[in-house]
Amino acid sequence: MYHRYVVVALSRRKPNEGKELTKEEKQRLRKQKKHQKKQKERKNEKGPSETEKDKTPVSLLPPPQPVATQKAPSALPAPASAPIPVPASAPFHSSPAPSPADKPAKSKAELKAERRARQETDRAAKQPGSSSSGIKTKVPLSELNPVVKRLPEHVQVDDPAVVKRLAKKLERQQIPLRSDYGYKVSLFSHLHQYSRKAPLTQLLSIPSTVIHPSIVRLGLQYSQGIVAGSNARSVALLHAFKQVIRDYTTPPNEELSRDLVNKLKPYISFLNQCRPLSASMGNAIKYIKKEISNIPSQCKEEEAKTKLLTCIDRSSLVNNILCEAFEKSRKFRVIVVDSRPRLEGREALRRLVQRGISCTYVLISALSYILPEVSKVFLGAHALLANGYVMSRVGTSQIALVARTYNVPVLVCCETYKFCERVQTDSFVSNELDDPDDLMVTRKGKTQLENWQDVSSLGLLNLVYDVTPPDFVDLVITDLGMIPCTSVPVVLRVKNLDQ
Amino acid sequence: MEECLVEYFRTQMRTDPDMASAVAAIRTLLEFLRRDKGETILGLRESLKWATDCLTEVDSSVAVSSGGELFLRFISLTSLEHQDLSRCKKVMEERGELFLEKISLSRTKVAKLCHTFIKDGAKILTHSSSRVVLRVLEKAAAEKKRFTVYVTESQPDTAGKQMADALRRLNVPVTVVLDAAVGYVLEKVDLVIVGAEGVVESGGIINKIGTYQMAVCSKAHNKPFYVVAESFKFVRLYPLNQQDVPDRFKYKADTLRTVSDLSDEHPMIDYTPPSLITLLFTDLGVLTPSAVSDELIKLYL
């Protein structure tokens, strides 16, 4: 990943890779072709039951992938990835991760045959009463070969091969590709940069047959910033999924556990296009997929649906902590540090003042002035990475750094569902670029940066996240208790054992 | 009842001055368990807790409180499904004795791990009087290593002098230095070894006052700062700075009882954050400060 800094420095404006919307006919033609191919293969190879291979024109599935695991944009339909019955934590995934340069060495027919054989063994292993946890025990902890963990692929917008694959995948799922907007700063040109004025929903046909309306609404809320903050986004996501499950009916000859997960895949790609998924949302999706695939095949539809709904049902965090402490009549003063362009601190300030807590409001540029009178710093987190780094709103690592120099203890408050297996040491590799137009400010009727696109040497950068190293954080407060920042992998291990 | 308990504890401390106060406390608790005439398991647990509190009033060190809690957890870790109370008690007593046996060996284990870090010709700095450090240095001397030791005097109780006497009996060249001379002597020294009264969740330690100073100076001089501690000293505290350490550990038990206004009293211990510690030698192995939390989770969960 690190060589990209040198490579990219030369190019400036890349041509837009946006593709046109797929026509229904193209889609149908392609499906027919695939169907014919598979008929031929089936004749060659007495394959297993017809039910799985039954392709209805409306079905959105790429060929046999009963239950997909990662939501990674692996656009190659299947040659590189093996179908895995259980999507949960990836430790027992034994096939190599799809690398961008993977070219299928064998013919498609051979690969499909292989895939089918693998599916059969997996299904056979799954059937005799063993649930997903049974399959998990196939890979005991004493296994000596290191199993490759599949982590979501990194975003690589400036690599045309990856973009083409992504576009193909979205075409197949009938989701419009969102085009990047504006000039991107070269160091971050591997990330997407979208404009808020061009939401993805404008490109969708109405009514959309592919995407459930509550998901469309959610996507719009994400892209316009109406629902923001990792807790709020996860909660909204789960509510939308509940609605999807309620409205879902199993098509004939399909199994709920497999079909529902496949229905969820285009939704997730759609939401990813509206706004890149956060780590907490990723964990929530993994959990749901696991729950769905755990449903035994004999389960009736109504039963299955109620089961799923019940299991879904259980920054804002720092605010809650402070309000509770205030209720316990602790005497303290809060200094809220805010930063442009989102100015999320204002809402927090409003809530605290309503409770009667005495507050001070500063912008982040005044940090070194107020720190001498601060006794503790409370920060929220978007995600906690496996190497102890804290991923949070941009500006957090700055606060932690300055607090360290003043010897003020820094406490990060984070629920354990936000812990993720990713490792990141800097804020460049994986981040989110927000709409650059947000940085424009109008004062006294004049907007200085109004025509920033016309100035060829000017770039606006609106970063959303940054990572804080664990040396700056003294304590992490989680629902499991207080832990030092370096103990995140311990918690992940304990949680994996529980599951 | 209480006096009986306290008397037993004091006798234990007197008969074997080499024993850690936590070990004496655990012995006392085991004896208390044997003599207890309670009727229910819950009552038994309550009375054990009460006994631990009594003992912390006698000796307010962190180790006594953490040792007591770990003892309680260890003996009640097995699910006591036996219907008969006396059978349960017997099981608890057996486990208690097992625990005691394990921890009496812990100092030897620590010494075995640590003495390899002392090279021939090394100059060691240590703080105040710690029996674990003494055991480590004994082992190193037994391995025919030559080293010199600098001990701080450690006011207000000048415990450093006792350490120096003990070392002289081992024929180890030792110098007693003032607490204020730590920075002065550090350039001559190769490594710093100190004991600990308690090891906290963050990987930091609670030890005799003056340890924090020594740690900061060794960091500035880039000298390794080693801590030797037994595993029963791991305590479930998470102080972020000096004032977060609870008052009941900071002062001696008599002071807490007699004096009402503590602002005149000087604390006997201080807290050293994990960033200043290089390695911890425990009977669970050689740990980095960040691994302490991992071990604590294993011990307490």
Side-chain angles (χ1 to χ4, degrees), chain A residues 143-163:
Chain A
E143 206 186 50
L144 294 172
N145 332 343
V147 194
V148 175
K149 279 198 190 181
R150 261 179 90 187
L151 296 172
E153 267 180 23
H154 291 292
V155 181
Q156 272 171 278
V157 176
D158 54 354
D159 185 355
V162 178
V163 178

mmCIF file of all heavy atoms in Angstrom, chain A residues 143-163:
data_model
loop_
_atom_site.group_PDB
_atom_site.id
_atom_site.type_symbol
_atom_site.label_atom_id
_atom_site.label_comp_id
_atom_site.label_asym_id
_atom_site.label_seq_id
_atom_site.Cartn_x
_atom_site.Cartn_y
_atom_site.Cartn_z
ATOM 1 N N GLU A 143 -5.145 -25.647 15.768
ATOM 2 C CA GLU A 143 -4.709 -25.853 14.395
ATOM 3 C C GLU A 143 -3.417 -25.134 14.167
ATOM 4 O O GLU A 143 -3.257 -23.967 14.513
ATOM 5 C CB GLU A 143 -5.765 -25.316 13.440
ATOM 6 C CG GLU A 143 -5.717 -26.018 12.114
ATOM 7 C CD GLU A 143 -6.666 -25.371 11.150
ATOM 8 O OE1 GLU A 143 -6.628 -24.158 11.008
ATOM 9 O OE2 GLU A 143 -7.426 -26.119 10.542
ATOM 10 N N LEU A 144 -2.477 -25.851 13.543
ATOM 11 C CA LEU A 144 -1.158 -25.260 13.454
ATOM 12 C C LEU A 144 -1.017 -24.354 12.248
ATOM 13 O O LEU A 144 -0.341 -23.352 12.297
ATOM 14 C CB LEU A 144 -0.110 -26.378 13.387
ATOM 15 C CG LEU A 144 -0.035 -27.192 14.678
ATOM 16 C CD1 LEU A 144 0.856 -28.389 14.484
ATOM 17 C CD2 LEU A 144 0.497 -26.330 15.802
ATOM 18 N N ASN A 145 -1.661 -24.731 11.076
ATOM 19 C CA ASN A 145 -1.443 -23.849 9.932
ATOM 20 C C ASN A 145 -2.150 -22.543 10.191
ATOM 21 O O ASN A 145 -3.300 -22.518 10.536
ATOM 22 C CB ASN A 145 -2.031 -24.415 8.631
ATOM 23 C CG ASN A 145 -2.048 -25.905 8.668
ATOM 24 O OD1 ASN A 145 -1.366 -26.477 9.475
ATOM 25 N ND2 ASN A 145 -2.845 -26.498 7.822
ATOM 26 N N PRO A 146 -1.470 -21.453 9.959
ATOM 27 C CA PRO A 146 -2.140 -20.157 10.128
ATOM 28 C C PRO A 146 -3.210 -20.010 9.058
ATOM 29 O O PRO A 146 -2.948 -20.206 7.894
ATOM 30 C CB PRO A 146 -1.013 -19.153 9.931
ATOM 31 C CG PRO A 146 0.038 -19.886 9.199
ATOM 32 C CD PRO A 146 -0.086 -21.311 9.520
ATOM 33 N N VAL A 147 -4.420 -19.713 9.481
ATOM 34 C CA VAL A 147 -5.502 -19.569 8.519
ATOM 35 C C VAL A 147 -5.537 -18.121 8.082
ATOM 36 O O VAL A 147 -5.420 -17.222 8.896
ATOM 37 C CB VAL A 147 -6.837 -19.950 9.172
ATOM 38 C CG1 VAL A 147 -7.889 -20.131 8.132
ATOM 39 C CG2 VAL A 147 -6.664 -21.215 9.977
ATOM 40 N N VAL A 148 -5.708 -17.935 6.783
ATOM 41 C CA VAL A 148 -5.676 -16.564 6.276
ATOM 42 C C VAL A 148 -6.964 -15.857 6.655
ATOM 43 O O VAL A 148 -8.049 -16.319 6.390
ATOM 44 C CB VAL A 148 -5.523 -16.585 4.746
ATOM 45 C CG1 VAL A 148 -5.605 -15.178 4.208
ATOM 46 C CG2 VAL A 148 -4.220 -17.219 4.357
ATOM 47 N N LYS A 149 -6.835 -14.708 7.272
ATOM 48 C CA LYS A 149 -8.015 -13.943 7.647
ATOM 49 C C LYS A 149 -8.369 -13.047 6.481
ATOM 50 O O LYS A 149 -7.507 -12.356 5.947
ATOM 51 C CB LYS A 149 -7.700 -13.061 8.857
ATOM 52 C CG LYS A 149 -7.776 -13.799 10.127
ATOM 53 C CD LYS A 149 -7.890 -12.805 11.273
ATOM 54 C CE LYS A 149 -7.710 -13.581 12.556
ATOM 55 N NZ LYS A 149 -7.811 -12.853 13.720
ATOM 56 N N ARG A 150 -9.650 -13.056 6.119
ATOM 57 C CA ARG A 150 -10.047 -12.181 5.027
ATOM 58 C C ARG A 150 -10.530 -10.872 5.592
ATOM 59 O O ARG A 150 -11.497 -10.822 6.329
ATOM 60 C CB ARG A 150 -11.154 -12.836 4.230
ATOM 61 C CG ARG A 150 -10.632 -13.495 2.979
ATOM 62 C CD ARG A 150 -11.725 -14.137 2.248
ATOM 63 N NE ARG A 150 -12.316 -13.227 1.299
ATOM 64 C CZ ARG A 150 -13.394 -13.514 0.614
ATOM 65 N NH1 ARG A 150 -14.005 -14.624 0.819
ATOM 66 N NH2 ARG A 150 -13.879 -12.670 -0.256
ATOM 67 N N LEU A 151 -9.880 -9.804 5.229
ATOM 68 C CA LEU A 151 -10.317 -8.496 5.672
ATOM 69 C C LEU A 151 -10.848 -7.750 4.460
ATOM 70 O O LEU A 151 -10.477 -8.057 3.341
ATOM 71 C CB LEU A 151 -9.137 -7.734 6.280
ATOM 72 C CG LEU A 151 -8.585 -8.390 7.544
ATOM 73 C CD1 LEU A 151 -7.315 -7.701 7.956
ATOM 74 C CD2 LEU A 151 -9.594 -8.275 8.666
ATOM 75 N N PRO A 152 -11.706 -6.804 4.677
ATOM 76 C CA PRO A 152 -12.264 -6.094 3.511
ATOM 77 C C PRO A 152 -11.171 -5.467 2.684
ATOM 78 O O PRO A 152 -10.211 -4.929 3.211
ATOM 79 C CB PRO A 152 -13.166 -5.029 4.131
ATOM 80 C CG PRO A 152 -13.057 -5.163 5.564
ATOM 81 C CD PRO A 152 -12.267 -6.365 5.911
ATOM 82 N N GLU A 153 -11.338 -5.550 1.381
ATOM 83 C CA GLU A 153 -10.330 -4.993 0.490
ATOM 84 C C GLU A 153 -10.236 -3.502 0.681
ATOM 85 O O GLU A 153 -11.220 -2.835 0.924
ATOM 86 C CB GLU A 153 -10.728 -5.264 -0.955
ATOM 87 C CG GLU A 153 -10.119 -6.536 -1.487
ATOM 88 C CD GLU A 153 -10.547 -6.754 -2.919
ATOM 89 O OE1 GLU A 153 -10.914 -5.778 -3.577
ATOM 90 O OE2 GLU A 153 -10.503 -7.903 -3.340
ATOM 91 N N HIS A 154 -9.045 -2.994 0.501
ATOM 92 C CA HIS A 154 -8.887 -1.552 0.635
ATOM 93 C C HIS A 154 -9.467 -0.848 -0.576
ATOM 94 O O HIS A 154 -9.457 -1.377 -1.673
ATOM 95 C CB HIS A 154 -7.407 -1.212 0.759
ATOM 96 C CG HIS A 154 -6.843 -1.675 2.053
ATOM 97 N ND1 HIS A 154 -7.211 -1.115 3.250
ATOM 98 C CD2 HIS A 154 -5.960 -2.641 2.353
ATOM 99 C CE1 HIS A 154 -6.563 -1.724 4.223
ATOM 100 N NE2 HIS A 154 -5.814 -2.647 3.716
ATOM 101 N N VAL A 155 -9.909 0.340 -0.352
ATOM 102 C CA VAL A 155 -10.451 1.133 -1.454
ATOM 103 C C VAL A 155 -9.297 1.545 -2.351
ATOM 104 O O VAL A 155 -8.253 1.969 -1.871
ATOM 105 C CB VAL A 155 -11.143 2.386 -0.887
ATOM 106 C CG1 VAL A 155 -11.732 3.197 -1.987
ATOM 107 C CG2 VAL A 155 -12.197 1.968 0.110
ATOM 108 N N GLN A 156 -9.457 1.397 -3.647
ATOM 109 C CA GLN A 156 -8.366 1.770 -4.562
ATOM 110 C C GLN A 156 -8.973 2.430 -5.779
ATOM 111 O O GLN A 156 -9.089 1.814 -6.830
ATOM 112 C CB GLN A 156 -7.619 0.524 -5.015
ATOM 113 C CG GLN A 156 -6.496 0.133 -4.107
ATOM 114 C CD GLN A 156 -5.958 -1.215 -4.503
ATOM 115 O OE1 GLN A 156 -6.500 -2.236 -4.131
ATOM 116 N NE2 GLN A 156 -4.932 -1.206 -5.315
ATOM 117 N N VAL A 157 -9.373 3.672 -5.625
ATOM 118 C CA VAL A 157 -10.113 4.317 -6.704
ATOM 119 C C VAL A 157 -9.215 4.631 -7.889
ATOM 120 O O VAL A 157 -9.662 4.743 -9.016
ATOM 121 C CB VAL A 157 -10.780 5.600 -6.176
ATOM 122 C CG1 VAL A 157 -11.477 6.343 -7.270
ATOM 123 C CG2 VAL A 157 -11.779 5.217 -5.106
ATOM 124 N N ASP A 158 -7.905 4.782 -7.638
ATOM 125 C CA ASP A 158 -7.062 5.183 -8.745
ATOM 126 C C ASP A 158 -6.510 4.001 -9.526
ATOM 127 O O ASP A 158 -5.724 4.165 -10.435
ATOM 128 C CB ASP A 158 -5.905 6.053 -8.242
ATOM 129 C CG ASP A 158 -5.157 5.359 -7.138
ATOM 130 O OD1 ASP A 158 -5.585 4.291 -6.694
ATOM 131 O OD2 ASP A 158 -4.140 5.917 -6.705
ATOM 132 N N ASP A 159 -6.925 2.788 -9.155
ATOM 133 C CA ASP A 159 -6.471 1.612 -9.888
ATOM 134 C C ASP A 159 -7.593 1.211 -10.834
ATOM 135 O O ASP A 159 -8.628 0.724 -10.391
ATOM 136 C CB ASP A 159 -6.179 0.491 -8.890
ATOM 137 C CG ASP A 159 -5.596 -0.729 -9.550
ATOM 138 O OD1 ASP A 159 -5.512 -0.744 -10.794
ATOM 139 O OD2 ASP A 159 -5.224 -1.653 -8.818
ATOM 140 N N PRO A 160 -7.429 1.395 -12.151
ATOM 141 C CA PRO A 160 -8.567 1.189 -13.063
ATOM 142 C C PRO A 160 -9.090 -0.242 -13.055
ATOM 143 O O PRO A 160 -10.290 -0.462 -13.198
ATOM 144 C CB PRO A 160 -8.009 1.574 -14.440
ATOM 145 C CG PRO A 160 -6.544 1.657 -14.269
ATOM 146 C CD PRO A 160 -6.245 1.872 -12.851
ATOM 147 N N ALA A 161 -8.217 -1.236 -12.857
ATOM 148 C CA ALA A 161 -8.690 -2.624 -12.852
ATOM 149 C C ALA A 161 -9.691 -2.845 -11.717
ATOM 150 O O ALA A 161 -10.754 -3.442 -11.903
ATOM 151 C CB ALA A 161 -7.508 -3.562 -12.705
ATOM 152 N N VAL A 162 -9.337 -2.321 -10.536
ATOM 153 C CA VAL A 162 -10.226 -2.494 -9.388
ATOM 154 C C VAL A 162 -11.544 -1.774 -9.609
ATOM 155 O O VAL A 162 -12.622 -2.279 -9.303
ATOM 156 C CB VAL A 162 -9.545 -1.975 -8.105
ATOM 157 C CG1 VAL A 162 -10.473 -2.109 -6.923
ATOM 158 C CG2 VAL A 162 -8.276 -2.738 -7.852
ATOM 159 N N VAL A 163 -11.462 -0.584 -10.175
ATOM 160 C CA VAL A 163 -12.690 0.184 -10.400
ATOM 161 C C VAL A 163 -13.588 -0.528 -11.404
ATOM 162 O O VAL A 163 -14.810 -0.582 -11.245
ATOM 163 C CB VAL A 163 -12.340 1.596 -10.899
ATOM 164 C CG1 VAL A 163 -13.586 2.377 -11.183
ATOM 165 C CG2 VAL A 163 -11.509 2.312 -9.865
#
